[in-house]
Amino acid sequence: MSTIRSATAVAPANIAFIKYWGVQDAARTLPFNGSISLNLDSCLTTTTVTFDPELRDDEVTIALYGRAAEAASGRPRERVVAQLGRLRALAGVATCARVDSANTFPSDAGIASSAAAFAALTLAGATALGLDLDERQLTVLTRRGGSGSACRSIPTGYVEWRIPEGPFDAARWDEESYAVSLAPPEHWALADVVAVVDAGAKKIGSAENHQLAATSAYFPARLAEIPARLAAARDAIARRDLELLGATMEADAVSMHAVCMTSSPPSFYWNAGTLEIIHAVRAWREGGLAAYFTIDAGPNVHVICADGDRDEVARRLGALPGVQFTIANGAGAGARVVG
Ligand code: PMV
C-alpha cells in the first residue's frame, strides 16, 4: 500500500437480554450459547483508523469520557493491534495504522465499552482497507477480536448472536457463529436506564471469567435453559411483550451470576447497591411500573422499561441512596461509517 487510507466509524454499546457467558474456544471467541441484545443509542464509540505507509509501528490512542486522549499500552493496545493484524491479513497488506478512539460514556460505568470499541475498530479498519465484507462477515471478524459481545454492536437494533447447529467444531463454528438483526430500533421503543452504584473498574475482566464458567456445577443447567430463553426473547421482541422479555431477561441475568458465584474461583459482582436496586425494581413492578433489571459482569444495574417510562425510572433510581448517577438510553442503530 503506497497511499494513506483512512475511515471513521461509530458503534454503540449493547445490553444483553440473554447473556453470552463462557467461551469454548478463546482464540476464536466461540461461545457455548447464543445471546440477544439491544444496541444503546447514547453510549457510542467513534474510531478513526488510518493506514499510513510512513508509520513504523501501530499507534493507538484512546480518549476516555471526559479525559484527554492517551496512548494505549499493555493488554488494551495488544488487543487492538491483534485485530489490526486480522484486518491486514485479510487485505494482504503489512501497513501500520494509527487508531484514534473516543467514547461518549464513562468506560467504567458497567456499560460494555469494549463492545462499542471493537465494533467501531473493525468497521473503520475494514472500510479503510476497502475489504469487501457483508454484514455477517463483519460480525464474524468483529467477534474474533476477543470481546465477543462486540459482534452484536454491528447489526441494527435488536440483535442475536447465533451459534451453529450440531456438535462443537472450532473451524466450522468460527465461520458460522455470527450476529444478525432481529428488528430495527424503531420496531419497539424500549429504554435502558443504567444505574451506576460503583464507577470503579471491575477487578476481573470478563475475558478471564469466560474461561471459568465451565468450572461451575450449575453451568450445564444454565446451558440447558438457554434455548427456551432465546426462543422466549425472540418471541417477546417480535410481539413487543415487555412482561415476557422482562421475566426472561431477569431469569437469565440471575442464572449468569449464579454461575459466576459458583465458579472456581468464584466472582461476586453484586454489591449492596445492586441488591437495593433489584428489590426496588421488583417493588415498583408490584406498584404498576413495568421495569426489569439485568446485570453484566459488574455491580451496576441496567433497568429496561418502555421509553415513555424512562424519566420516571431514572428519577426513582436516582433517589436510591446507593445510586451515584444514571445514564439513559433508547434503542439504537448498529455500527456505521461516518467518514
Ligand atoms: O464480550 P465480553 O467478553 O466483553 O463479555 C460480555 C459479557 C456480558 O456482558 C456479561 C454478557 C453479554 O452478553 O454482553
Side-chain angles (χ1 to χ4, degrees), residues 14-21 29 35-37 79 112 114-115 146-152 161 202 205-207 210 256-257 295-298:
N14 67 73
I15 180 64
F17 301 144
I18 309 297
K19 309 286 187 195
Y20 152 50
W21 196 250
T29 326
S35 52
I36 292 180
S37 60
R79 291 177 70 192
S114 57
S147 174
S149 59
C151 74
R152 298 189 312 243
W161 171 14
K202 60 193 175 199
S206 47
H210 281 300
M256 182 197 112
H257 284 270
I295 306 156
D296 279 343

Side-chain angles (χ1 to χ4, degrees), residues 5 60 161 210 212 263 267 277 321:
R5 302 185 66 174
V60 182
W161 171 14
H210 281 300
L212 298 180
S263 291
S267 283
I277 298 170

Side-chain angles (χ1 to χ4, degrees), residues 7-337:
T8 301
V10 172
N14 67 73
I15 180 64
F17 301 144
I18 309 297
K19 309 286 187 195
Y20 152 50
W21 196 250
V23 70
Q24 307 212 48
D25 180 312
R28 299 175 181 84
T29 326
L30 295 173
F32 282 90
N33 63 275
S35 52
I36 292 180
S37 60
L38 172 63
N39 287 328
L40 304 179
D41 71 351
S42 302
C43 294
L44 305 169
T45 297
T46 303
T47 300
T48 300
V49 180
T50 306
F51 290 92
D52 182 345
E54 299 281 305
L55 291 174
R56 297 277 72 90
D57 199 2
D58 292 322
E59 292 175 6
V60 182
T61 60
I62 301 176
L64 294 176
Y65 176 75
R67 289 192 231 158
E70 272 183 37
S73 60
R75 189 77 191 114
R77 182 180 184 280
E78 279 168 29
R79 291 177 70 192
V80 171
V81 169
Q83 190 67 339
L84 290 171
R86 290 184 190 91
L87 289 157
R88 281 188 281 254
L90 274 178
V93 299
T95 317
C96 290
R98 190 165 44 250
V99 175
D100 294 295
S101 192
N103 282 352
T104 62
F105 59 103
S107 54
D108 51 2
I111 300 163
S113 55
S114 57
F118 277 87
L121 169 70
T122 307
L123 179 56
T127 305
L129 289 173
L131 291 175
D132 186 19
L133 301 174
D134 62 21
E135 184 180 88
R136 171 176 163 160
Q137 292 168 322
L138 195 61
T139 72
V140 167
L141 186 56
T142 303
R143 189 206 78 223
R144 290 180 184 141
S147 174
S149 59
C151 74
R152 298 189 312 243
S153 288
I154 297 285
T156 195
Y158 296 80
V159 177
E160 178 166 2
W161 171 14
R162 298 205 161 127
I163 58 166
E165 300 280 334
F168 180 69
D169 170 324
R172 182 171 70 84
W173 281 45
D174 188 30
E175 295 300 326
E176 296 180 13
S177 179
Y178 65 97
V180 60
S181 179
L182 297 173
E186 55 278 12
H187 165 73
W188 192 9
L190 287 185
D192 173 11
V193 185
V194 190
V196 177
V197 297
D198 178 358
K202 60 193 175 199
K203 289 178 189 63
I204 312 167
S206 47
E208 290 78 31
N209 275 1
H210 281 300
Q211 309 210 33
L212 298 180
T215 65
S216 166
Y218 297 92
F219 191 54
R222 166 170 169 75
L223 292 181
E225 291 170 345
I226 293 246
R229 280 210 201 106
L230 287 168
R234 277 184 218 118
D235 184 39
I237 290 166
R239 295 192 293 108
R240 302 184 192 90
D241 183 338
L242 182 54
E243 203 178 327
L244 175 61
L245 181 66
T248 308
M249 177 177 77
E250 289 191 351
D252 192 69
V254 172
S255 149
M256 182 197 112
H257 284 270
V259 166
C260 296
M261 292 180 208
T262 51
S263 291
S264 181
S267 283
F268 297 90
Y269 287 115
W270 298 0
N271 65 22
T274 315
L275 277 164
E276 181 190 22
I277 298 170
I278 291 173
H279 287 297
V281 166
R282 287 164 59 90
W284 298 340
R285 256 194 338 258
E286 292 288 307
L289 179 65
Y292 297 85
F293 66 82
T294 186
I295 306 156
D296 279 343
N300 303 318
V301 183
H302 294 247
V303 180
I304 309 296
C305 60
D307 199 52
D309 287 333
R310 86 150 88 175
D311 292 346
E312 178 63 14
V313 166
R315 190 188 64 71
R316 291 191 192 193
L317 285 169
L320 295 175
V323 174
Q324 295 176 2
F325 59 96
T326 61
I327 303 171
N329 289 273
R336 57 263 181 198
V337 176

